[in-house]
Amino acid sequence: MTGRVVLITGASSGIGYAAALAFARAGDHVAATARRANRLEQLAQAVNTLPAPHGEILTLTADVQDAAAMREAVRQAVERFGRLDVVVANAGVGHRGSLADAAEQDVHTLLRTNIDGVLNVIRAAVPALRQTGSGQIITISSVASTLPSPYAALYAASKAFVSSLARSLRLELADDHIAVTDFLIGRTATEFNEKRLGAGKRTGQNTPTMSADQVANAIVQAADRRPNTVTLRLIDRLVLWGNILLPGLMGRIAKRQYR
């Protein structure tokens, strides 16, 4: 078997769907997980109609909130393809609105998905990556993880957790030759905005938006180059620098955008 073996969570839409196609197009074999079986079937059809040669795909209906389901997904991926090389911890949900007024179920869903979900897939995958003798974990964080984000505080805090985890895990796993790459993603045109939890639904139409394919292609490149951190666009890097130099101003801008 040639090509890497890549496990992607949240592969039924958006960045995860595009990444699965991009890896398969590059000749890698993909184990794609998500909750929506019908969407995974569409993904499998899309992969199988790619121009040859392309990688194979294994679709697995699983919820990242379920640690046992993630362990089973990893087991099936290794059983099918013989090893595991790359894990893309992509599954996540957004939230807009006041933290104090947020519905309890929304808070629960966001934390269980964005925090527990990332932990579950990484903890399930690391033994398989160690067995391979190398590998890479790619976490999907956000530019918002470093910013004061009033009315997007839950989401930003969950992504700050992801980025902090990536920085520490990179050192923990260095002796196992497992790289950890953290993506700080800016606004992307996907279903994510429409599916966002919370009462605040403003989408920030004036913010420049990139495509899911652009992010997916960068993820494939990162699997080749294994950088520590990736920020794709100049505007997102400027936002990060702006927060370092003028955090109060960036917070006021975010408050107007997210409220």
Side-chain angles (χ1 to χ4, degrees), residues 94-254:
H95 181 274
R96 287 279 175 84
S98 165
L99 171 63
D101 299 326
E104 184 175 348
Q105 184 58 47
D106 287 350
V107 175
H108 176 80
T109 298
L110 183 138
L111 297 179
R112 293 279 288 125
T113 304
N114 293 10
I115 293 180
D116 291 352
V118 172
L119 291 174
N120 288 340
V121 68
I122 289 175
R123 284 168 55 81
V126 165
L129 295 174
R130 284 174 171 159
Q131 188 67 31
T132 300
S134 64
Q136 184 178 18
I137 296 167
I138 298 176
T139 53
I140 304 301
S141 185
S142 169
V143 173
S145 66
T146 68
L147 304 178
S149 299
Y151 303 103
L154 275 172
Y155 174 73
S158 71
K159 291 303 183 180
F161 170 89
V162 170
S163 292
S164 177
L165 179 73
R167 289 191 296 270
S168 298
L169 199 61
R170 187 176 299 124
L171 299 176
E172 281 190 26
L173 297 177
D175 291 343
D176 296 308
H177 308 290
I178 299 171
V180 180
T181 299
D182 189 35
F183 267 74
L184 300 179
I185 303 295
R187 188 174 299 281
T188 307
T190 68
E191 294 179 12
F192 181 85
N193 292 327
E194 288 71 30
K195 299 293 185 181
R196 185 186 295 116
L197 304 174
K201 297 297 185 180
R202 184 172 176 182
T203 58
Q205 292 89 344
N206 295 327
T207 304
T209 302
M210 58 186 161
S211 70
D213 288 336
Q214 181 179 348
V215 179
N217 291 332
I219 291 173
V220 174
Q221 291 176 7
D224 294 330
R225 301 171 184 170
R226 296 161 65 95
N228 288 342
T229 306
V230 177
T231 306
L232 292 179
R233 302 180 300 174
L234 175 60
I235 187 172
D236 295 325
R237 290 190 287 273
L238 291 175
V239 167
L240 295 175
W241 277 104
N243 184 58
I244 293 172
L245 299 173
L246 298 166
L249 174 62
M250 298 305 294
R252 290 193 294 275
I253 292 172

Side-chain angles (χ1 to χ4, degrees), residues 1-8 19-31 47 50 53-58 81 83 85-86 219-221 223-224:
M1 188 185 68
T2 60
R4 295 165 296 206
V5 177
V6 185
L7 175 69
I8 304 173
L21 284 173
F23 275 111
R25 193 178 293 114
D28 298 315
H29 306 293
V30 177
V47 168
L50 289 171
H54 60 74
E56 299 178 20
I57 185 163
L58 170 67
F81 298 120
R83 66 177 192 273
D85 299 300
V86 181
I219 291 173
V220 174
Q221 291 176 7
D224 294 330

